[in-house]
């Protein structure tokens, strides 16, 4: 009995157990509301279904959250990812819109390369402010968060840029090997990040910098360089997410693309078990967190919940997820509901006092 209880405690204590339970509950609720929710069909060689749509729509958030995980692991924060996504999406769409042949693959690749280069510059700007000058990460990235929106508005001249480019549209809604192309991109980026951080010493170095940057520096780790690097990676992931967001609707709105995605990314990282204080980070948990947020968003729309209360409903669910996976909260809950031992009878007390 004790062995089974120990095993159960080990399973429920795993950092992914409660997030996965919440994800299953959300999927079950959608299935009860709409029995065909879990059905996946193959049409014209492409997979379609609500589950496929959830994963496809989660791809931009997964990318942003992966970069955010690395930044948070160093003890920082990046509030500018939404603005970076907007700037890069706007630059790519602007370049394509000015081409005589918008379906030219070369023009699309050039647009993506230019926008991606801008993202690296923006990420380097954040890295210099945080690692080089020593500005607090929340302030440094808040600067670009505000300025980036203005830059995106300048690129689009305050208008919505619309394009008609099939190659660019493929990034968001295209298919490859029956799967949506956005899912393949997210899988590829996740694989690269996982290999670099879990199969090399880079991940351990990032966690060491987040745990104690000064101790890492004294141990020979160039903590400033690592901090600079993670902000560049975060901006690069945000750029690819911006391409997906604008490709989904074949347009770029500098004021709407990536709006508040930084908050969803932070929530996904926290739900996945990564501490905002820095140190250990969990990529698998971040992905599960992103899937929970997108499933929750899909549920709100599918169940016709009043848009005025949708954000409140989402906030309540996220708070519940964070609470049930918090060890301190679970321990206090168990202590409060644990059965209390019955008081000893006078005979039992007298027996305890008699020496053996």
């Amino acid at each position: 009995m004790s062995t089974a209880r120990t095993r159960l405690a080990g399973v429920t204590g795993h950092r992914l157990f409660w997030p996965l339970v919440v994800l299953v509950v959300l999927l079950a609720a959608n299935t009860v509301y709409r029995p065909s929710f879990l059905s996946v069909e193959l049409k014209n060689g492409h997979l379609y279904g609500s589950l496929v749509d959830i994963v496809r729509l989660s791809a931009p958030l997964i990318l942003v959250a992966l970069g955010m995980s690395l930044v948070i692991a160093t003890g920082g924060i990046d509030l500018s990812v939404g603005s970076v996504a907007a700037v890069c999406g706007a630059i790519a769409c602007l370049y394509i819109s000015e081409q005589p042949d918008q379906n030219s693959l070369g023009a699309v690749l050039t647009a993506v390369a230019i926008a991606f280069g801008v993202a690296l510059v923006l990420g380097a700007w954040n890295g210099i402010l945080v690692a080089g000058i020593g500005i607090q990460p929340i302030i440094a990235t808040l600067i670009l968060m505000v300025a980036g929106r203005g830059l995106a508005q300048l690129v689009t001249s305050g208008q919505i840029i619309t394009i008609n480019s099939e190659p660019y549209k493929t990034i968001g809604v295209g298919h490859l090997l029956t799967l949506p192309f956005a899912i393949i991109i997210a899988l590829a980026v996740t694989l690269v990040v996982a290999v670099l951080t879990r199969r090399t010493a880079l991940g351990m170095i990032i966690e060491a910098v987040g745990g104690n940057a000064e101790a890492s520096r004294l141990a020979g780790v160039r903590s400033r360089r690592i901090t600079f690097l993670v902000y560049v990676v975060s901006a690069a992931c945000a750029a690819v997410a911006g391409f997906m967001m604008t490709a989904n609707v074949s347009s770029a709105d500098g004021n709407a693309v990536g709006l508040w995605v930084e908050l969803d990314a932070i929530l996904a990282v926290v739900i996945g078990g990564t501490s905002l204080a820095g140190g250990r980070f969990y990529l698998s948990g971040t992905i599960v967190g992103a899937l929970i947020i997108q499933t929750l968003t899909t549920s709100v729309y599918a169940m016709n919940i009043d848009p005025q209360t949708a954000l409140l409903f989402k906030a309540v669910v996220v708070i519940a997820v964070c609470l049930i996976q918090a060890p301190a909260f679970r321990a206090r809950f168990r202590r409060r509901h644990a059965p209390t031992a019955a008081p000893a009878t006078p005979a039992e007390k007298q027996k305890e006092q008699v020496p053996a």
Side-chain angles (χ1 to χ4, degrees), residues 157-169:
S157 298
Q159 306 295 321
I160 298 177
I161 300 176
T162 58
I163 60 175
N164 185 18
S165 174
E166 288 300 324
Y168 189 75
K169 190 177 180 180

Side-chain angles (χ1 to χ4, degrees), residues 181-248:
F181 194 60
I183 295 178
I184 295 177
I185 294 175
L187 287 174
V189 174
T190 301
L191 182 61
V192 171
V193 174
V195 169
L196 291 177
T197 57
R198 295 310 182 194
R199 296 298 180 181
T200 69
L202 180 61
M204 183 177 63
I205 293 173
I206 291 175
E207 292 175 344
V209 171
N212 192 320
E214 183 61 21
S216 300
R217 186 187 66 81
L218 295 176
V221 176
R222 298 184 176 180
S223 56
R224 289 187 177 182
R225 181 174 297 182
I226 296 298
T227 302
F228 175 86
L229 176 64
V230 295
Y231 282 97
V232 174
V233 172
S234 178
C237 291
V240 180
F243 300 150
M244 290 182 181
M245 295 173 187
T246 51
N248 277 334

Side-chain angles (χ1 to χ4, degrees), residues 271-297:
I271 290 174
T274 299
S275 172
L276 289 176
R280 295 283 292 175
F281 65 96
Y282 308 100
L283 298 180
S284 57
T286 295
I287 294 173
V288 174
L291 291 174
I292 288 175
I293 292 174
Q294 184 55 53
T295 303
L296 182 58
T297 302

Side-chain angles (χ1 to χ4, degrees), residues 71 77-84 118-148 224 227-236 238:
V71 172
I77 201 79
D78 190 354
L79 299 179
S80 66
V81 287
S83 297
V84 172
V118 172
L120 297 181
V121 173
L122 296 177
W125 168 259
N126 281 336
I128 291 172
L129 292 182
V130 176
I133 301 178
I135 299 177
Q136 287 291 329
I138 192 172
I139 301 300
T141 56
L142 182 63
I143 294 172
L144 185 57
M145 176 185 177
V146 176
R224 289 187 177 182
T227 302
F228 175 86
L229 176 64
V230 295
Y231 282 97
V232 174
V233 172
S234 178

